[in-house]
Each structure stands twice: as structure tokens, then as C-alpha cells.
Amino acid sequence: MIRLKISAVFADLALCCAAALPAVAADATAPLAVHQFTGSQSCASSSCHGGGTRNEFLTYSRKDRHVFAAGILGKGTSLKIAEALGIGDPTKAAQCTVCHSPMEAVPASRLAVRLQPAPDQKPVPDRGVSCEACHGAAGEWLLFHTRKDVNYQQILGTGLRDLIDINGRANVCVACHLNIDEPIRQAGHPELYFELDAQAMLEPPHYVDARPSLGPRSWFTGQAVALREMSWKLAAKRDERLVVRWKALVWLLQMTEAGAKELPSGEDFSAMQPAADRLAKKASRDLWTRSQVASQLKRFASSHQEFADAKTDRIEQRRRAELLVPAIDRLWAALKKEGGVTSPGFEKAVNEAAMLSHEQDDFAPAQFAEALGKLEAEFVSALKP
Ligand code: HEC
Ligand code: HEC
Ligand code: HEC
């Protein structure tokens, strides 16, 4: 049976448990049930977010893959997946729309009047991953969120999600981006991975966020949030494929200073969940200096000896590599952006390691170890004054 995540998408509440919620979400639990969705057209006018100076809507509708998320449900791969699962039309199947077009699952009572054209017609919700899937139902705050005498905290209290908080941001994306239920994957759905920093860049952003060390903070927070979600899922039900990913993520995060302090050892999913939550909150706040970024990157690169060690299971090695390469890549991106370093040699070495990490059944740990060793050497010489 496929477990639905409708509530995970629409109520911050359901992401896992109350303990793991950002503080603001807890305050917002009471009114959440009554917030109505107003639809993306209510954000789109040229005097609001679809115009000259404020063009979030245009960036989103022209460049963001989320616009197409519903459309692809009617196409080739989706039809094959749906057939294999025996779920009928994927554009109407809750197993798919829960992530690809979440408004479809919202009961009519939660759609604002303007989305309900005539009493005898069905309501027309937004398709795809719409504004309110991330920002929260706008029913209460839409009309007053631009007033000068209203502050951000007050708006959050009426259902706007705090996406400025990096932990809050990660919580929204992770609900759809971390993991796909095993039967859907086996039916041909791509496996999902969550890495907040690169995925936020790829979206691409329709906002300006130039805070210091945003990249490393997003990477670190995103991985800790992913660990919390996996722990929660595994504590409820063991799934061997996810256990291997979980172990690899614990391995990665224990190589960070805060992770080594915060995360317990051993395979205790219930103990890991709150620890990962604490780590995520800390990671979202702590700034990184240039030398901290550099020494963390060095620490990751120097893990090549562990890949040469044949004692660890090869599948687990691959899962480690799959997390390690993006970690190195994101830290490097930060050094480049905020520290002005360049090195074509290092970047070539990262690409080689990335290619090897993508080898699924053919993953060769010794070869990966060698590539990582080369990457470390390039890094050391890139940082030489
Ligand atoms: C847990 C959320 C989730 C569920 C449930 C889900 N998907 Fe997806 N799906 C995603 C995400 C996220 C991506 C994008 C993956 C990427 O490119 O990183 C995706 C990608 C896809 C793609 C590839 C899209 C492309 O552009 O190549 C297809 C096809 C697809 N999904 C179909 C389905 C179908 C059919 C179902 C229902 C059986 C379904 N999905 C259920 C989250 C989900
Ligand atoms: C996939 C999630 C997602 C979707 C979908 C989304 N946003 Fe955003 N949006 C964000 C994030 C993350 C931020 C950055 C945090 C912030 O500024 O609040 C943001 C920021 C904004 C901002 C603040 C801009 C700034 O520079 O301060 C506006 C306005 C906005 N979004 C409007 C929209 C509108 C309108 C839509 C629909 C057309 C939309 N968003 C869809 C995630 C999303
Ligand atoms: C309601 C579920 C949902 C939420 C919430 C969500 N996404 Fe997505 N996202 C999807 C689906 C489904 C797709 C696949 C769309 C497609 O390929 O047509 C996708 C695609 C993407 C892609 C393009 C994938 C690729 O490999 O090019 C990026 C990047 C992305 N999402 C980033 C984010 C970020 C960052 C956030 C949080 C701020 C976020 N998403 C929140 C469901 C979601």
C-alpha cells in the first residue's frame, strides 16, 4: 500500500512529528485547518508579483520545472508507471498528484470562492506545484501581507510559511524531494535525492537571498533534515534500501564537527530523529568562515582511504559516494563564490568522481578512492597561495 503524503505537503504539521517542527509552524497549527487556498492567479497581477519590479510569477511560470509537474503526468513515462502500478490515469491518481499537483487533493471547502466558478461545476485548483504549495494557503494573509504596519511575524501567524528560515525552507522541499515509495520506484519512477543548495539554485530562485554562507548552510541544513525524515520513516517501518541510504548519510554528517557532537552512533532511528532535528536547526543558523569551508572540504576529500577499505559493503560505499560528491561540490561552490578560488584541475577531478559515483551496479570503490585522492591533491594545490 502506498502511503500518501498529502498532509505532509499542506500542513507543516505532518512532516514528521511535533518535535521536529520549526517553532512558527507549531504556533500556526490551530488556524491551519481553516486557511483557504486562493490560487496562483491571485499573486500574478502586474501590480503584485507578475510585473516590472516584482516578477516572481514570471520567473516561476517561465523557468521553473514545478509548472510542468502536473503536465508530465499525462505523458509517456508517467503512463508506463501508472500502468505498471495499475492505478489508472496518473493525472487523477492521488499517488502521483500528491507531489506533482498537490492542489488536486485539496477539498473544495478549502478552496477560496474565486476558484469555484459556478455552483454546478467542479472547482478548478492550480495545477502543478503552485505558489501556495510552498508558501502556504494565502486565504488569510493575501489581502494584508503588503501593508506597511504589519510585520513578518504577524503574517506567519496567519499561515504564510517561513521560507526565509533555512530549516523551514528545507522542510518544504524535503516533503516531495527525498524519497519515493518503493513500488513507484520499481514501476520506473526516478529515484529521488534531496540536496537543498543545488536544488534551490536549479529551480531557479525567484527571490534574492544574498546572506553570508547561504550555500554551506543550505547544504548542511538540507542533509540534516533529510536524515531526520529518513529516521522518522525508518522508525515507523524498516526498508532495507532506505537503511543503506540512512547509514551513508549518518557517515557523511558525522564527518562534520556539529554532526559528530550531535548524532548518536548505532542504528537507532528513533534516537536519531530528534538529534537530526537539533542538528538541522543549528546548521540553519551557524555561519561558516572561509577556513571552515576549506577544512570541511579537506576532511571530506581525505575520506578516500575509507573507500579503498574493502570491508564496507559496496552498495553502502556507493551511497556514501553519492552524498559525498555533492557535499564537496557545494562547499567548493561557496569557496569560489565567497573566497575567489578557481582551479580547473580541481573541477575536472570533481566531475570524474561524480561520474564514478553515478555508476549504479558497477560502482568500483577502489577506482572512486583513487579519483578522490586526486581530487584532494588538486584541492591542496588550489589553496596554495
Ligand atoms: C514523493 C513525491 C512524488 C511522488 C509521490 C511522485 N513523484 Fe514523480 N517526481 C517527483 C520529483 C521530485 C521528481 C523530479 C525528480 C528530479 O528530477 O530530481 C519527479 C519526477 C517524475 C518523472 C520524471 C520527470 C521528468 O521530467 O523527467 C515522472 C515521469 C514522474 N515523476 C511521474 C510520476 C508518477 C506517474 C507518479 C505516481 C505514480 C509520481 N511521479 C509520484 C516527486 C514525486
Ligand atoms: C518550490 C517552492 C516555491 C514555489 C512553488 C514558489 N515559491 Fe516563492 N519563494 C520560495 C522560497 C524558498 C523563497 C525565499 C524565501 C522568502 O523570500 O520568503 C521564495 C520567495 C518568494 C517571494 C519573496 C521574494 C523576495 O525577493 O523577497 C515572493 C514574492 C514569492 N516567493 C512569490 C511566489 C509566487 C507568486 C509564486 C507562484 C507563482 C511562488 N513564489 C512559488 C519558494 C517557492
Ligand atoms: C509539492 C511537492 C514539491 C515541493 C514542495 C517542492 N517540489 Fe521541487 N519538484 C516537484 C516535482 C513533482 C518535480 C518534477 C517536475 C518535473 O520534472 O516536471 C520537481 C522538480 C524540481 C526541480 C527540477 C528537477 C531537476 O532535476 O531539474 C527542482 C530544482 C526543484 N524541484 C527544487 C525544489 C526546491 C528547492 C523546493 C523547495 C523550496 C521544492 N522543489 C519543493 C515537487 C515539489
Side-chain angles (χ1 to χ4, degrees), residues 72-272:
I72 60 155
L73 290 182
K75 298 209 178 117
T77 318
S78 296
L79 300 175
K80 282 194 201 122
I81 296 171
E83 198 188 332
L85 290 167
I87 55 171
D89 180 355
T91 64
K92 303 213 167 63
Q95 288 97 324
C96 311
T97 57
V98 61
C99 293
H100 283 265
S101 195
M103 286 281 265
E104 316 261 358
V106 172
S109 62
R110 287 198 61 196
L111 298 177
V113 176
R114 76 190 83 194
L115 294 177
Q116 309 189 356
D120 58 335
Q121 279 178 337
K122 277 175 71 108
V124 194
D126 280 338
R127 307 198 67 229
V129 180
S130 64
C131 316
E132 290 166 294
C134 290
H135 287 284
E140 277 194 50
W141 52 263
L142 181 69
L143 294 177
F144 77 85
H145 74 290
T146 51
R147 275 173 53 168
K148 295 273 182 290
D149 57 342
V150 175
N151 68 35
Y152 190 55
Q153 290 304 322
Q154 285 169 312
I155 308 171
L156 293 180
T158 59
L160 179 77
R161 285 233 184 87
D162 188 359
L163 302 179
I164 293 178
D165 170 33
I166 300 172
N167 187 42
R169 191 178 296 180
N171 281 341
V172 166
C173 319
V174 80
C176 301
H177 276 275
L178 175 65
N179 189 39
I180 189 89
D181 285 318
E182 194 47 21
I184 303 184
R185 191 193 66 81
Q186 278 172 10
H189 195 282
E191 187 155 53
L192 299 182
Y193 305 92
F194 179 53
E195 194 287 291
L196 179 60
D197 185 32
Q199 283 172 350
M201 288 297 130
L202 264 172
E203 205 192 332
H206 51 268
Y207 50 87
V208 177
D209 191 343
R211 287 176 289 178
S213 61
L214 178 71
R217 280 197 282 161
S218 298
W219 164 76
F220 198 11
T221 309
Q223 296 309 294
V225 162
L227 180 62
R228 186 199 72 209
E229 288 300 292
M230 284 186 192
S231 304
W232 165 70
K233 220 172 181 293
L234 289 169
K237 186 170 176 287
R238 205 179 158 91
D239 161 358
E240 291 313 323
R241 195 179 172 87
L242 198 57
V243 171
V244 183
R245 291 179 68 182
W246 181 90
K247 282 189 191 161
L249 187 48
V250 173
W251 169 82
L252 182 84
L253 289 175
Q254 279 177 339
M255 273 194 276
T256 65
E257 204 186 314
K261 242 186 251 159
E262 204 68 68
L263 304 179
S265 53
E267 213 180 278
D268 184 343
F269 307 125
S270 312
M272 190 61 81

